[in-house]
Amino acid sequence: MQNVIPSEDVDAGTLIFREGEAGDCAYLIQRGRVEISVDGDDSQVLAILREGELFGEMALIDGEPRSATARAVSECTLLPVTQTLIESKLKTADALTRVLLKLALGRLRRMHAHHRDANSEEGGSVHDQTLQRVVSELTLATDLHKALESDELELHFQPIVRLADGALSGLEVLSRWNRAGAGYVPPQEFITVAEETNLILPLGRQLLRRACAALTRIESQLMSLESETAPLFVAVNVSARQLYADNEVGELLDVIHASDLPPERVKLEITESVLLDDPPKAAAAMRQLADAGVRLAIDDFGTGYSSLNYLHRFPLHTLKIDRSFVDNLMLNDAGQSIVRAIVALAHELGMQVVAEGIEQAQQQKWLSQHNCEFAQGYLISRPLPEDDLIRWATKRSAE
Ligand code: C2E
Ligand code: CMP
Ligand code: CA
Ligand code: CA
């Protein structure tokens, strides 16, 4: 299913859709003018819409037929906004907002019916900041689609080291998008957009494939170093949609099987809050991965108010203590008690512990003394591009 469609150019006079048809798409006018009219004997033009305006949304919001006909008045560039996107936006809107929207739409439709032959002013197009935001998200989504096709996303690697001896144990892959003309977009921002548009599925598979290939390359480079490197694991972040979409876990396993890595060397990081959306479904998806040998980590542990009751039902191999706890570690006794308790809980349930966001030597020392197995953070290294990572490891093995 395609959820982001590139913009389309249409000639003057093109009929975009007709009143009464079913609607599966809204459009944002990027260039040109579009006439909105109603048919029949009393045919009339309701509005001429311009650049930056959106139309065709009504049918998508309430599932009713098109309330009017849309025709390009001049040559136009239209950015389609799919039903999937609108549905995902509506789903995440709160209940009151949804009710208000439908209510207002119902009133607009009734008003249309009453005033079919009365003269109407230019329609109530939304011209505010909300629309601006939607527009910028839409362009981000189309650009991201292109970025995906041209492998524009970069992978950075952050080392994860074993506290007992400082050995490099694994790498977490963090994606970076250098968006043409706009600089780096923070991952949280584009991952969110990717999730809303379902682009996360092809994107996630691509990142996983590239991550596995990169690990093989990096390892063969590190082998040539003096120090002996044990096999590394690669940790890849996985979003809610990837875990919950039908067949997606199978797709991810196919990617792993097609790589040169044994599944045991691939660790998928799943944020705590994702597991709570639908615990039985999450458990089933994770079971499928774990049965194939893939390792699973619960990410950002402690931020999602997870029900401790559920924790033992997930086949988790690793628990990652969220950065916020590491931040508080040296501030007070309570901070230390909490981390001690998390480490004990993880071990009790048979999990290894990685502490994230270590920035101070003091934090690392404390964690090492309190049985935390692995560490990750700026103190050790920031996430690095492949070349820099090799340099980092080379320099370290020479020390
Ligand atoms: P995360 O999985 O919790 O990743 C750790 C984040 O903490 C990264 O931010 C990393 O750069 C940052 N970090 C690591 N060490 C330190 C430290 O010592 N101090 C501080 N202040 N920060 C540190 P980044 O790269 O901006 O990624 C943010 C989030 O975006 C990630 O959080 C993850 O949830 C998501 N993300 C990144 N790449 C991907 C991806 O390929 N797929 C998915 N689904 N999500 C991704
Ligand atoms: P939809 O009903 O899906 O298809 C016709 C579209 O025309 C409708 O969504 C709105 O986007 C737009 N439209 C309907 N009535 C008006 C109006 N009075 N003024 C401007 N646009 C309108
Ligand atoms: Ca992570
Ligand atoms: Ca994390």
Side-chain angles (χ1 to χ4, degrees), residues 172-174 235-238 269-271 299-300 320 356 376:
E172 177 172 0
V173 177
L174 294 157
V236 178
N237 293 288
V238 164
E269 297 194 354
I270 303 163
T271 301
D299 204 353
D300 306 329
K320 295 189 83 172
E356 303 189 281
Q376 178 180 359

Side-chain angles (χ1 to χ4, degrees), residues 336-395:
Q336 299 186 357
S337 304
I338 290 169
V339 173
R340 251 196 299 265
I342 296 176
V343 172
L345 172 73
H347 289 164
E348 198 64 46
L349 295 173
M351 292 184 248
Q352 297 187 331
V353 181
V354 178
E356 303 189 281
I358 299 181
E359 294 182 355
Q360 301 161 15
Q362 234 187 339
Q363 295 165 334
Q364 177 162 328
K365 188 168 166 218
W366 189 94
L367 287 158
S368 171
Q369 287 166 344
H370 290 83
N371 304 321
C372 173
E373 283 95 351
F374 299 98
Q376 178 180 359
Y378 292 171
L379 177 70
I380 299 152
S381 166
R382 290 190 173 249
L384 300 171
E386 199 169 323
D387 297 354
D388 291 347
L389 178 83
I390 304 287
R391 271 192 285 276
W392 173 88
T394 311
K395 186 161 158 265

Side-chain angles (χ1 to χ4, degrees), residues 223-238:
M223 295 282 220
S224 59
L225 298 177
E226 289 295 296
S227 72
E228 214 171 287
T229 358
L232 302 178
F233 65 83
V234 65
V236 178
N237 293 288
V238 164

Side-chain angles (χ1 to χ4, degrees), residues 200-219:
I200 193 68
L201 302 183
L203 183 78
R205 283 177 229 146
Q206 183 193 85
L207 292 171
L208 182 60
R209 177 177 53 74
R210 291 171 58 198
C212 293
L215 189 75
T216 311
R217 258 194 326 269
I218 291 170
E219 263 183 349

Side-chain angles (χ1 to χ4, degrees), residues 139-193:
T139 19
L140 193 79
T142 15
D143 283 0
L144 187 58
H145 196 233
K146 284 183 224 145
L148 170 70
E149 284 175 347
S150 53
D151 276 8
E152 231 178 79
L153 293 172
E154 294 167 22
L155 305 187
H156 283 203
F157 304 88
Q158 189 173 33
I160 298 172
V161 301
R162 189 165 54 210
L163 280 168
D165 58 1
L168 177 63
S169 300
L171 298 169
E172 177 172 0
V173 177
L174 294 157
S175 44
R176 298 285 178 263
W177 180 25
N178 191 355
R179 188 183 179 194
Y184 280 96
V185 183
Q188 261 125 351
E189 206 172 298
F190 69 81
I191 296 290
T192 307
V193 172

Side-chain angles (χ1 to χ4, degrees), residues 23-333:
D24 61 357
C25 202
Y27 298 89
L28 176 77
I29 308 171
Q30 289 189 309
R31 181 178 65 102
R33 293 188 179 227
V34 172
E35 178 196 86
I36 304 292
S37 63
V38 283
D39 303 336
D41 309 334
D42 50 352
S43 161
Q44 59 171 279
V45 175
L46 295 177
I48 304 284
L49 304 179
R50 288 165 295 169
E51 227 172 82
E53 293 194 283
L54 187 76
F55 66 95
E57 77 295 345
M58 290 170 60
L60 301 196
I61 295 169
D62 62 8
E64 294 291 316
R66 295 293 191 196
S67 61
T69 297
R71 198 184 295 275
V73 184
S74 62
E75 200 183 300
C76 290
T77 306
L78 302 176
L79 180 65
V81 182
T82 58
Q83 188 147 25
T84 319
L85 180 67
I86 294 203
E87 273 168 6
S88 82
K89 292 285 184 192
L90 289 176
K91 232 184 270 163
T92 52
D94 65 54
L96 179 62
T97 310
R98 288 200 302 260
V99 170
L100 291 174
L101 191 65
K102 297 243 164 116
L103 195 82
L105 198 56
R107 293 214 168 108
L108 180 68
R109 285 191 186 284
R110 281 192 296 280
M111 195 175 77
H112 265 217
H114 285 137
H115 299 278
R116 285 226 127 203
D117 46 6
N119 278 334
S120 109
E121 305 268 282
E122 184 166 318
S125 321
V126 197
H127 238 329
D128 57 13
Q129 286 167 335
T130 320
L131 185 59
Q132 287 305 313
R133 218 187 53 228
V134 172
V135 168
S136 75
E137 276 179 25
L138 280 171
T139 19
L140 193 79
T142 15
D143 283 0
L144 187 58
H145 196 233
K146 284 183 224 145
L148 170 70
E149 284 175 347
S150 53
D151 276 8
E152 231 178 79
L153 293 172
E154 294 167 22
L155 305 187
H156 283 203
F157 304 88
Q158 189 173 33
I160 298 172
V161 301
R162 189 165 54 210
L163 280 168
D165 58 1
L168 177 63
S169 300
L171 298 169
E172 177 172 0
V173 177
L174 294 157
S175 44
R176 298 285 178 263
W177 180 25
N178 191 355
R179 188 183 179 194
Y184 280 96
V185 183
Q188 261 125 351
E189 206 172 298
F190 69 81
I191 296 290
T192 307
V193 172
E195 290 196 314
E196 286 173 353
T197 53
N198 263 347
L199 268 182
I200 193 68
L201 302 183
L203 183 78
R205 283 177 229 146
Q206 183 193 85
L207 292 171
L208 182 60
R209 177 177 53 74
R210 291 171 58 198
C212 293
L215 189 75
T216 311
R217 258 194 326 269
I218 291 170
E219 263 183 349
S220 70
Q221 296 230 48
L222 296 186
M223 295 282 220
S224 59
L225 298 177
E226 289 295 296
S227 72
E228 214 171 287
T229 358
L232 302 178
F233 65 83
V234 65
V236 178
N237 293 288
V238 164
S239 298
R241 285 265 169 126
Q242 292 176 275
L243 199 66
Y244 290 121
D246 287 344
N247 301 326
E248 194 54 24
V249 164
E251 298 278 351
L252 295 177
L253 286 173
D254 286 348
V255 171
I256 294 169
H257 290 138
S259 79
D260 291 332
L261 287 182
E264 291 72 22
R265 309 257 308 276
V266 179
K267 195 181 277 188
L268 300 182
E269 297 194 354
I270 303 163
T271 301
E272 184 183 26
S273 57
V274 164
L275 300 182
L276 299 177
D277 291 348
D278 184 348
K281 197 165 179 189
M286 289 167 77
R287 177 56 58 202
Q288 194 185 344
L289 289 162
D291 285 348
V294 175
R295 302 266 153 97
L296 299 167
I298 183 165
D299 204 353
D300 306 329
F301 185 81
T303 57
Y305 308 101
S306 70
S307 158
L308 296 179
N309 240 334
Y310 276 118
L311 212 50
H312 72 282
R313 299 196 202 167
F314 301 123
L316 289 162
H317 176 273
T318 303
L319 180 151
K320 295 189 83 172
I321 302 184
D322 189 65
R323 192 168 79 217
S324 54
F325 296 101
V326 175
D327 283 347
N328 288 336
L329 203 50
M330 295 302 146
L331 297 183
N332 49 44
D333 289 348

